[in-house]
Amino acid sequence: MAESPFKVDIERAQKELTEKMTPGAIVYLPGSSVINKTGSWRVFRPEFNKDKCVRCFLCYIYCPEPAIYLDEEGYPVFDYDYCKGCGICANECPTNAIEMVREVK
Amino acid sequence: MPIRTVMKANEAAAWAAKLAKPKVIAAFPITPSTLVPEKISEFVANGELDAEFIKVESEHSAISALVGAAAAGVRTFTATASQGLALMHEVLFIAAGMRLPIVMAIGNRSLSAPINIWNDWQDSISQRDTGWMQFYAENNQEALDLILLAYKVAEDERVLLPAMVGFDAFILTHTVEPVEIPDQEVVDEFLGEYEPKHAYVDPHRPITQGTLAFPAHYMETRYLVWEAMERAKKVIDEAFAEFEKKFGRKYQKIEEYKTEDADIIFVTMGSLAGTLKEWVDKKREEGYKVGAAKMTVYRPFPVEEIRELAKKTKVLAFIEKNISMGLYGAVFTDASAALINESEKPILLDFIAGLGGRDVTFDQLDEALSIAKKALEEGKVEKPISWIGLRKELL
């Protein structure tokens, strides 16, 4: 990482983020989504049927999050921590290999 | 050597901006402050000022552009007035809440309806609760100096709040007066380069600005703005002292004039202070024990200074070019609040004058004096507020 031209004590800033308010309520710690699992919003979850999958990657391309990654063989893997359950993958899948089912907790 | 020349307050504001070297200026022309961005665009076009000049489609966009630029970590400037300032209203809160030290020149003008392009302070007074510091200039020299001072205070790490500098429409904006333009080197020494420490854009250190605050955090953010405004009082005094040392011109939050033995002190802001001092001279010759005081800083409100002033007199009368509908003038209301718990306080009076550019004449000030004298003699006040110079035959 290149040296920042700004005089910012990032250590202090990160400490302050968790311990007290910053001027202007600025969040100095990037990547708060690592803490906030957006998948908790989900109402429907995608269920994947490997037998129907032709590994076209369309679900991977269309996922807006992106909460789908591909395993070594090229099959999609769903990251349920971040999948919001929008259903775009199921809608785009040409072989109907993805089915949206109601999330039951 | 500082150049001594003659110019309008609008030009003085543009010169102040040039001397402060902002990196981004965004402005939309509005009477009476149009000349400010015009002049600055000339400076930029001539290569005298190395800055990005953004021509926007409204004042709402102008201030929004500056919020973006200041959040990216540069010094910024704009000028506006009246409805233009009112159009900026919602973004003014954002600038203050994000603690961005934006500086803005205001050609103080009345608000519609009816449409009126002339002077009063209703536009900036209406923005008093946004979290912006407010300075008011008596003359063109002060318009220049206060803009430099506004940068100094706004960018101080203890403050980090935006500031507006008001100067009266046409009375100052379009009137040519002698103005001393300070040396660039001295201004550089005074202001220094703006080094963003809390708000910046840096790809290596991504941060989130202007974020959402739930009820669990919002109140604390507002408290921090309030606390910064409290701290600004001391920072302003320091900046005034340093300014005097560097430029030789003295500023005070409340400047007093012949108040030592005065029974009645009139307090005002802006160009009216000049008229008032002249009138006080005349009244002193006639044997009246009157004094004048000028508020240079309206936000943060100079509470301590008002208390000191109140101790010196029997009647403290405010003359202001604004009105809060449903109550009194804003300056009077704020000053009354500052004195509320004082055990001994003078009689407080409020005079509304000069709205929409009506000249405040000696006759009107005499009218105010007769009301103040009556209150002093009787020791009571029937109605604290009086509109002076009203054309009663029209009502």
Side-chain angles (χ1 to χ4, degrees):
Chain A
M1 190 184 278
E3 190 56 36
S4 167
F6 296 101
K7 289 172 191 163
V8 177
D9 187 344
I10 201 80
E11 299 292 321
R12 197 192 83 186
Q14 288 182 348
K15 197 162 155 3
E16 280 184 0
L17 173 82
T18 48
E19 288 180 5
K20 62 180 196 179
M21 301 296 304
T22 55
I26 290 167
V27 181
Y28 289 104
L29 186 66
S32 59
S33 62
V34 177
I35 304 160
N36 300 320
K37 306 284 190 211
T38 49
S40 62
W41 307 351
R42 192 171 55 239
V43 178
F44 290 95
R45 68 190 285 133
E47 292 286 348
F48 171 60
N49 184 347
K50 197 172 180 180
D51 295 339
K52 288 189 187 173
C53 180
V54 294
R55 292 185 279 183
C56 67
F57 307 166
L58 278 180
C59 56
Y60 168 84
I61 291 165
Y62 275 98
C63 179
E65 277 312 293
I68 300 172
Y69 55 95
L70 301 175
D71 67 11
E72 282 165 7
E73 293 171 47
Y75 287 111
V77 178
F78 295 84
D79 186 345
Y80 289 114
D81 279 348
Y82 299 105
C83 168
K84 294 191 293 189
C86 68
I88 290 174
C89 54
N91 197 54
E92 294 298 335
C93 181
T95 61
N96 293 324
I98 302 168
E99 190 192 352
M100 299 304 289
V101 298
R102 186 170 285 278
E103 185 82 71
V104 182
K105 283 185 179 140
Chain B
M1 279 289 285
I3 305 162
R4 197 164 167 76
T5 178
V6 286
M7 58 171 68
K8 300 166 183 171
N10 275 339
E11 289 172 291
W15 267 96
K18 178 175 180 279
L19 290 166
K21 296 181 183 166
K23 286 277 173 280
V24 176
I25 297 117
F28 185 85
I30 181 164
T31 304
S33 65
T34 307
L35 189 61
V36 182
E38 269 180 17
K39 192 77 192 165
I40 293 175
S41 71
E42 250 178 61
F43 288 142
V44 174
N46 293 344
E48 291 172 63
L49 174 63
D50 179 21
E52 197 69 41
F53 189 93
I54 311 176
K55 287 170 276 182
V56 286
E57 76 277 17
S58 80
E59 286 85 352
H60 191 277
S61 310
I63 190 67
S64 301
L66 292 196
V67 164
V74 295
R75 192 173 278 166
T76 57
F77 185 77
T78 187
T80 190
S82 188
Q83 310 297 132
L85 182 58
L87 185 55
M88 289 181 177
H89 180 69
E90 61 152 318
V91 189
L92 298 184
F93 281 94
I94 295 170
M98 287 172 69
R99 309 289 295 276
L100 303 173
I102 299 166
V103 171
M104 171 156 71
I106 311 288
N108 279 126
R109 171 189 148 186
S110 64
L111 283 167
S112 303
I115 297 171
N116 177 299
I117 60 167
W118 293 274
N119 166 242
D120 63 36
W121 314 323
Q122 195 69 57
D123 52 357
S124 52
I125 291 281
S126 297
Q127 310 303 332
R128 67 170 185 177
D129 301 332
T130 52
W132 283 59
M133 292 183 285
Q134 294 197 5
F135 300 84
Y136 288 82
E138 181 186 332
N139 52 46
N140 295 357
Q141 182 70 59
E142 291 196 10
L144 191 150
D145 293 349
L146 287 174
I147 287 171
L148 298 178
L149 278 159
Y151 277 113
K152 181 80 178 170
V153 179
E155 291 170 2
D156 192 289
E157 247 196 301
R158 292 164 288 173
V159 180
L160 290 172
L161 286 174
M164 52 179 81
V165 177
F167 38 88
D168 291 341
F170 299 103
I171 299 171
L172 298 180
T173 57
H174 287 63
T175 304
V176 173
E177 283 184 347
V179 172
E180 189 179 298
I181 303 169
D183 282 335
Q184 184 68 62
E185 301 81 57
V186 188
V187 175
D188 288 346
E189 211 179 289
F190 178 66
L191 280 184
E193 191 105 347
Y194 174 49
E195 281 181 21
K197 294 196 178 68
H198 74 304
Y200 52 83
V201 165
D202 178 2
H204 303 299
R205 298 252 190 270
I207 61 173
T208 307
Q209 299 188 54
T211 181
L212 170 80
F214 281 85
H217 291 94
Y218 179 80
M219 202 160 149
E220 282 70 21
T221 68
R222 302 315 290 172
Y223 177 80
L224 287 177
V225 174
W226 181 84
E227 196 190 34
M229 197 62 106
E230 290 291 304
R231 273 201 300 270
K233 290 174 184 171
K234 187 166 163 274
V235 177
I236 288 169
D237 283 338
E238 287 173 19
F240 282 178
E242 192 185 336
F243 191 89
E244 191 186 353
K245 220 160 49 180
K246 284 222 158 64
F247 301 92
R249 285 185 290 278
K250 185 180 171 131
Y251 288 95
Q252 288 168 292
K253 279 186 241 161
I254 294 189
E255 183 189 312
E256 297 179 23
Y257 184 74
K258 297 191 177 173
T259 55
E260 295 76 31
D261 59 336
D263 288 333
I264 303 169
I265 297 177
F266 288 92
V267 187
T268 193
M269 310 197 294
S271 64
L272 187 50
T275 313
L276 196 60
K277 287 177 200 166
E278 186 93 12
W279 175 79
V280 162
D281 284 345
K282 185 162 170 274
K283 290 290 130 182
R284 283 273 174 179
E285 277 169 26
E286 292 170 19
Y288 292 99
K289 284 162 99 177
V290 292
K294 175 185 77 180
M295 282 177 55
T296 307
V297 185
Y298 175 62
R299 277 287 181 276
F301 195 77
V303 173
E304 291 303 321
E305 287 78 359
I306 281 283
R307 285 181 187 156
E308 286 305 309
L309 193 63
K311 281 179 194 153
K312 292 183 179 165
T313 181
K314 291 172 186 152
V315 177
L316 199 56
F318 293 83
I319 306 181
E320 50 188 319
K321 296 181 182 177
N322 70 89
I323 176 71
S324 176
M325 300 301 177
L327 192 62
Y328 311 129
V331 183
F332 171 78
T333 314
D334 292 351
S336 305
L339 297 170
I340 190 99
N341 285 332
E342 295 295 281
S343 53
E344 275 186 44
K345 43 182 170 278
I347 291 170
L348 296 167
L349 292 173
D350 191 19
F351 296 104
I352 308 298
L355 299 188
R358 179 163 302 178
D359 269 343
V360 182
T361 60
F362 279 15
D363 283 348
Q364 291 177 23
L365 295 174
D366 286 345
E367 188 186 336
L369 180 62
S370 68
I371 295 169
K373 251 177 63 191
K374 189 163 171 280
L376 178 65
E377 279 156 17
E378 293 175 2
K380 65 175 170 77
V381 181
E382 274 167 34
K383 210 172 61 160
I385 185 171
S386 314
W387 291 56
I388 55 171
L390 269 189
R391 296 178 60 194
K392 297 217 171 71
E393 71 275 14
L394 295 179
L395 300 170

